[in-house]
Amino acid sequence: MTPEELAARGLEAAGPGVDAFATAIRERSLLLRFAASRPTQATAVEDLELELAVVRDGHVGRASTNDQAPRALTECARSALAAAEAAAHVGAGTYPGFPVPQAGRAHAGHDSATARLDPAQGGRTLAAAFEAAADAGMEAHGIWTAAEVETAVAAAGGSAVDRVTDAFMKVICIAPSGRSGYASRTAVAAGELDGTALGAQAAAKASASGEPARLPAGEYPVVMEAHAVGWLLDLLAVTALNGLAHVEGRGALADRLGRQVAAPAINLSDSPASPQTLPRGMDAEGAIKRPLPLIEDGVAKRVVHDTRSGALAGEPSTGHALRAGGAPGGPRATNLVLAGGGAADLTELCAPIERGVYVTRLWYANVVRPRESLITAVTRDGTFLIEDGRIARPLADLRLTDSVLGILGRTQALAQRQVLASDGEFYGRRFAAGVVCPALRAGSVRFTGSA
């Protein structure tokens, strides 16, 4: 059964006169884990799941199944309706009803070769990374994964379908000294994952000589690679760009739209059709995804909405639903693009800094106070001391505790080259997303101690 057929049958199971929305998702994916330069785990997923959402008096109830038998679909519909009716006992809710799905825009987010999911391709890519690590006298650790995901949605009056592929590889090289280096690549096509290049990049980070320096807590100029910048912007999507948090007064841009919130060099948009990203044609409610400027020349312009948050704000959905009826955490920008700047490379970004910190990536990043976009994270797998405009030696990892908007406000320069940065790991239903961004230099970032 195709996802379109399953979504249609799920909607039929809900019955006439019921405001229901059916989502059928087929995931086909491979994942290869490796450690100490050898494969350690291989998994394959092939699953077709139906989720039914039902509205009663402004409340949404949901149920899901991957059993395609008619009786299972009927039971799924009954469970979703029961959940909605139970919620409605507390009084009228705010959800206005499901929109009519629209045919998504054509995009370049699907690669037919990747959709074949050839495990031999992954094996060859791993072998190349192992060889690059061995050439440097190191071990390689990490993952390689690729997938095709097809999503079909249906509601009264319309249906739509979208197909995407994604691929991700991360390599962490560990030197005999114990130092580690990180490199990763995210792409629509698995053929773009170069194990040799990633292994060599990670090994170069881990091979830095010299005893790691230590810095006391304080504020320092910082150069962040795109991997670290991507984490910051992903957390900004949660704390500032989320329309539900914004309308409820919890967002970092509440009362700040139209005002300067970042350096004039910051131009951030959600660009779901850009081939630099992992493109998508529609959101989880079947709304067409379109480009949306969010911060222009440092001025906050918009937040993103799904149907629920848009209704509360008195605005239409911007096509950012993560789930029909609204995800608990609200809508989210999943195709963020930060425009590049004028710096030729990382060397040029480091040049003006007398003493500062070079950050490859962030780890264990968490939001502390959403209203301030205050986050905390740990540097990892390539943290270095910058002295007299160049990377001088390794630096013991530090804990960063600062406001994302504050860091963007203190940004002095951006690299020209943009990178698609992604965490690339999935714990549950696969939904691949990333942030296209350059490296940046910030005049100061607050570190609150060692890691």
Side-chain angles (χ1 to χ4, degrees):
M1 187 182 301
T2 67
E4 299 100 307
E5 291 169 337
L6 182 58
R9 293 187 186 185
L11 199 61
E12 289 176 5
V18 176
D19 190 0
F21 195 101
T23 304
I25 299 177
R26 184 193 299 281
E27 175 188 334
R28 298 170 53 251
S29 63
L30 296 176
L31 185 144
L32 307 177
R33 294 187 184 275
F34 54 95
S37 294
R38 64 182 183 86
T40 57
Q41 183 185 37
T43 60
V45 172
E46 183 153 359
D47 184 54
L48 177 57
E49 181 184 48
L50 172 73
E51 180 174 275
L52 281 174
V54 174
V55 175
R56 271 289 188 267
D57 296 331
H59 293 276
V60 179
R62 297 185 180 88
S64 61
T65 180
N66 58 6
D67 186 341
Q68 300 167 32
R71 65 181 181 280
L73 302 185
T74 299
E75 183 57 35
C76 183
R78 287 174 179 165
S79 296
L81 182 58
E85 290 177 340
H89 281 304
V90 302
T94 58
Y95 190 74
F98 296 114
V100 177
Q102 304 172 62
R105 286 187 167 186
H107 57 73
H110 185 273
D111 177 67
S112 58
T114 300
R116 288 195 287 270
L117 296 181
D118 180 8
Q121 181 181 33
R124 290 190 296 270
T125 308
L126 264 61
F130 298 164
E131 184 176 356
D135 287 345
M138 301 182 191
E139 294 180 339
H141 308 250
I143 65 170
W144 175 98
T145 182
E148 179 187 50
V149 177
E150 184 175 4
T151 303
V153 296
S159 62
V161 64
D162 199 18
R163 287 195 307 157
V164 297
T165 58
D166 72 275
F168 173 79
M169 186 177 190
K170 74 172 180 182
V171 179
I172 298 172
C173 281
I174 299 181
S177 65
R179 295 194 190 103
S180 60
Y182 173 89
S184 70
R185 179 82 163 89
T186 303
V188 169
E192 295 184 30
L193 305 184
D194 186 337
T196 299
L198 292 174
Q201 291 166 20
K205 291 281 178 67
S207 65
S209 60
E211 187 66 22
R214 294 187 177 275
L215 286 179
E219 296 187 1
Y220 300 94
V222 168
V223 169
M224 289 187 179
E225 287 192 10
H227 303 298
V229 177
W231 271 70
L232 292 181
L233 296 178
D234 200 47
L235 291 170
L236 188 70
V238 176
T239 59
L241 306 176
N242 178 334
L244 181 62
H246 184 81
V247 75
E248 292 178 346
R250 300 179 287 108
L253 293 182
D255 303 319
R256 301 184 72 184
L257 292 182
R259 295 169 53 188
Q260 195 84 27
V261 296
I266 299 300
N267 286 280
L268 182 67
S269 65
D270 193 70
S271 302
S274 168
Q276 293 178 286
T277 71
L278 297 175
R280 293 181 181 274
M282 66 180 191
D283 73 356
E285 293 181 316
I288 295 176
K289 297 186 74 65
R290 296 182 172 87
L292 185 70
L294 298 168
I295 299 176
E296 291 184 325
D297 300 328
V299 176
K301 294 294 186 180
R302 297 289 300 273
V303 295
V304 304
H305 287 296
D306 56 15
T307 298
R308 177 175 59 155
S309 68
L312 293 171
E315 299 179 18
S317 168
T318 58
H320 291 86
L322 294 179
R323 201 173 185 186
R332 189 160 180 175
T334 55
N335 294 88
L336 288 174
V337 176
L338 177 64
D345 52 27
L346 290 161
T347 299
E348 186 173 324
L349 288 176
C350 291
I353 297 178
E354 292 184 9
R355 185 174 175 82
V357 179
Y358 182 101
V359 177
T360 294
R361 72 164 179 145
L362 299 173
W363 189 49
Y364 279 139
N366 290 287
V367 176
V368 179
R369 291 198 291 268
R371 191 68 169 77
E372 303 167 29
S373 73
L374 183 68
I375 60 107
T376 185
V378 174
T379 68
R380 192 182 189 196
D381 300 323
T383 308
F384 299 96
L385 180 67
I386 302 172
E387 287 186 319
D388 299 324
R390 64 180 183 85
I391 294 175
R393 57 175 167 150
L395 180 65
D397 287 323
L398 296 165
R399 175 165 293 281
L400 178 158
T401 306
D402 206 338
S403 159
V404 177
L405 286 174
I407 294 172
L408 295 179
R410 298 187 292 273
T411 294
Q412 298 173 335
L414 298 161
Q416 295 174 2
R417 178 173 175 264
Q418 296 163 293
V419 172
L420 175 55
S422 170
D423 184 37
E425 304 218 28
F426 305 96
Y427 302 94
R429 180 181 292 171
R430 190 178 186 111
F431 185 92
V435 177
V436 176
C437 57
L440 64 75
R441 180 180 72 242
S444 68
V445 172
R446 185 160 62 100
F447 295 95
T448 50
S450 67

